[in-house]
Amino acid sequence: MRVRKAVFPAAGWGTRFLPATKAQPKEMLPLVDKPIIQYGVEEAVAAGIEQIIIITSTHKGAIEDHFDLNLELEHVLEEKGEIEKLRQVRHISNLAQLAYVRQKEQLGLGHAILMAKDLIGHEPFAVLLPDDVVIADRPAIGQLIHAYDRTHSSVVAVMQVPAAEVSRYGIVAAETDDSHLDGGRLRRMTAIVEKPKQKDAPSDLAVIGRYVLTPKIFDKLEQTQRGSGGEIQLTDAIEALMDEQPVYTYEFEGVRYDAGTTMGWLQATVEVALQRPDLGSDLRAHLLSLDL
């Protein structure tokens, strides 16, 4: 069955960016001139996703407004002859079929994904965490979907991280599967540990915010006990899923930015802007002129 739907968990408070996120969602913070979440939505659409399901909360109305029609703004732009801006605004509201689900309590990533169960049904689906911005020639989630098409199993995006940073991530152990090599990027997961101490980490392969999951994950999420902070961890459900189905890891091609941290957001802003034909030359000249 084809992967047609993608879930975007976007209900968190964004406390790392306070006070900027006191009155606006962190997913709507601009990365150059587009909100962070739009990069992920465009990535999903480029990979063939037809329906976007965004998990929100009471303070996230700006996300819905952003992807909705704004006829008044379109009229103003048309009257002013701002045709390129008008095209950009219309493009946003025509990206995909969007649905929204309210997460009434912040009970972790696993719980957020579980909120989409009724809309997903019995289909495989993608998950994209908006904080993880991935710039790649091929959409990162598309690379995972391709791996799913070959394995018909859940696939989790991973990347190598420095040993000193393993305690910030879910860390996996994986082994080569001779039937599904894909240049060594695709491996069968044998273990997953949430934020291990450096000495306990099974590898330096960290899970980042791209997944393709089979609908069986919903059963595992419903059976997962709340862990630290009363949250339902997706990592625990994936570990349980491995007892019944193969789960694969995929070292994606591309550059990932953790736009959920201030430094990661700053790095992404600078590097994405440097790649822009309309901004790159001037920004590069400005950076070179600084007395650093």
Side-chain angles (χ1 to χ4, degrees):
M1 188 176 289
R2 192 165 67 86
V3 179
R4 303 183 306 115
K5 301 177 181 179
V7 177
F8 282 73
W13 286 101
T15 54
R16 289 175 177 172
F17 283 96
L18 286 170
T21 50
K22 180 177 181 289
Q24 70 169 327
K26 66 174 180 177
E27 295 82 9
M28 290 301 297
L29 292 174
L31 204 169
V32 187
D33 54 6
K34 291 192 294 189
I36 292 171
I37 193 171
Q38 187 174 331
Y39 287 85
V41 171
E42 289 177 343
E43 176 189 325
V45 171
I49 294 295
E50 298 172 2
Q51 183 177 26
I52 305 293
I53 301 165
I54 302 180
I55 311 302
T56 66
S57 54
T58 54
H59 56 291
K60 300 286 182 152
I63 297 176
E64 298 183 34
D65 291 342
H66 179 70
F67 290 107
D68 200 359
L69 286 171
N70 189 328
L71 295 177
E72 184 177 358
L73 175 59
E74 290 185 17
H75 177 72
V76 169
L77 293 174
E78 192 167 12
E79 287 288 307
K80 289 185 175 182
E82 300 273 10
I83 303 304
E84 177 56 24
K85 290 181 180 178
L86 176 61
R87 184 196 66 79
Q88 292 175 358
V89 168
R90 284 180 173 167
H91 165 74
I92 294 169
S93 59
N94 292 324
L95 275 170
Q97 177 188 354
L98 273 81
Y100 300 91
V101 178
R102 286 282 181 94
Q103 185 183 20
K104 296 178 181 179
E105 295 181 87
Q106 311 306 303
L107 298 177
L109 176 58
H111 182 260
I113 293 171
L114 186 56
M115 298 293 296
K117 178 181 177 180
D118 290 344
L119 289 177
I120 295 295
H122 299 288
E123 301 182 33
F125 64 101
V127 175
L128 295 89
L129 305 192
D131 288 354
D132 279 331
V133 176
V134 182
I135 305 300
D137 292 334
R138 292 190 299 147
I141 197 63
Q143 297 175 44
L144 267 66
I145 291 172
H146 178 68
Y148 169 82
D149 289 340
R150 296 177 59 190
T151 63
H152 303 291
S153 301
S154 296
V155 185
V156 176
V158 296
M159 61 179 283
Q160 287 186 306
V161 297
E165 296 183 12
V166 295
S167 61
R168 294 176 48 205
Y169 298 91
I171 302 295
V172 304
E175 61 186 16
T176 300
D177 184 335
D178 292 336
S179 61
H180 301 293
L181 289 175
D182 200 12
R185 292 183 178 275
L186 183 63
R187 302 180 182 129
R188 183 163 174 164
M189 186 188 299
T190 57
I192 182 168
V193 183
E194 182 68 16
K195 299 181 179 178
K197 295 180 180 178
Q198 184 174 334
K199 64 181 179 65
D200 299 324
S203 75
D204 61 354
L205 288 175
V207 176
I208 69 107
R210 298 292 185 274
Y211 310 79
V212 173
L213 300 170
T214 64
K216 188 67 177 178
I217 195 68
F218 291 123
D219 294 339
K220 300 306 175 185
L221 287 168
E222 288 174 334
Q223 296 163 11
T224 298
Q225 298 296 314
R226 295 188 186 186
S228 177
E231 296 186 343
I232 297 174
Q233 297 292 345
L234 178 60
T235 300
D236 294 338
I238 291 174
E239 186 176 33
L241 183 64
M242 284 192 295
D243 292 336
E244 294 187 26
Q245 299 178 349
V247 177
Y248 287 83
T249 66
Y250 192 86
E251 286 192 73
F252 63 95
E253 299 178 63
V255 179
R256 173 257 187 180
Y257 300 98
D258 183 2
T261 67
T262 305
M263 182 53 67
W265 175 78
L266 288 169
Q267 290 170 338
T269 298
V270 172
E271 294 185 33
V272 169
L274 285 172
Q275 295 175 32
R276 287 270 296 264
D278 58 332
L279 298 173
S281 295
D282 289 344
L283 178 58
R284 186 172 288 104
H286 173 67
L287 293 173
L288 290 172
S289 73
L290 298 177
D291 183 15
L292 301 175

